[in-house]
Amino acid sequence: TESKHRRCGGDLKTKSTELGSTVTGSPLAAVLPTTGKKSIVLSSETRKELAKQAKVTKKERRAQLDERHKYLISRLADGIGLSEQQVEEAIISDDKFQLIEQFFAHSGLKKLLFFYQDVLQQKLNASLMSDGSTNSLLQKKLFITMGSTENFTGTCAFFLRTSDKVITASNVSQEVNFGIFDCINGNILQGLEFFLSQIMIPALKSQQNWGAVKEGLKNSQIQDFLYSVDKFVGTLSSSRQNIEDKIQLTKVDIDIYVSNLQNPSDYITAG
């Protein structure tokens, strides 16, 4: 048992020493934020190795890009207002890059979402302060998302599949729809209202081909559908305004009303 304790202690001491050398071994150490309040300090050698691995990964991903990816990149660049080079760099650097292939696959993901918004970045100091602090700043970033883990505060660019077919270079423009949804001033309800009222409803009302439904806009089912969408947007607008205005309660001084209540009959009368 003692030998086990000694071995464990030795291991812990070695790990502690290694961690200490990692923390203090270089004057050009960098601090990486973690999920808690503590920070992990990496040596310049470790940072160089991580940068080398990231460079290799980006090179491999760039080589995988084909006409399907270029179609997505072109739509994103036009919709968001970035250059195609900026969009390409963001995509191949994204840790959710594999979602694009899942979107292209047979019966793959039905949607592919991108957020373009302010993200808190860590600006690493050239030389660390004694407390290992970093400077934080907001910076616009384009990234792939599932839409369920990050708060939506900016612009959402989305691709939607119209079938379960494999997405190829020849059918991507027919099988994939693209759209932009802006979260105006961080107000999602206002952004949704604008998207429906100013983009979707006018597009639907100008559409002539409704597939198997004949007579287009003259069809009673289509008219009922458009009426329901209009009604939903009206309800959404009313609800949004109610939430924004809120209910303001006025403070009332009730002393003047209760000071003269002396017995149960006074309370009953007041009620």
Side-chain angles (χ1 to χ4, degrees), residues 101-112:
E101 291 304 319
Q102 295 177 26
F103 179 73
F104 289 153
H106 175 71
S107 298
L109 296 175
K110 298 300 182 184
K111 65 180 184 297
L112 184 63

Side-chain angles (χ1 to χ4, degrees), residues 18-29:
E18 290 174 351
L19 180 59
S21 63
T22 301
V23 173
T24 61
S26 170
L28 296 177

Side-chain angles (χ1 to χ4, degrees), residues 96-114 144-147 159-167 175-177:
K96 294 185 177 67
F97 178 82
Q98 73 280 359
L99 292 182
I100 300 178
E101 291 304 319
Q102 295 177 26
F103 179 73
F104 289 153
H106 175 71
S107 298
L109 296 175
K110 298 300 182 184
K111 65 180 184 297
L112 184 63
L113 303 180
F114 292 80
I144 305 171
T145 177
M146 293 297 292
F159 295 93
L160 304 176
R161 295 170 57 110
T162 59
S163 72
D164 289 332
K165 297 179 182 178
V166 174
I167 304 301
E175 297 295 334
V176 175
N177 292 326

Side-chain angles (χ1 to χ4, degrees), residues 75-87:
R75 299 286 79 76
L76 287 168
D78 290 341
I80 295 176
L82 298 174
S83 69
E84 292 188 5
Q85 290 75 18
Q86 288 175 308
V87 174

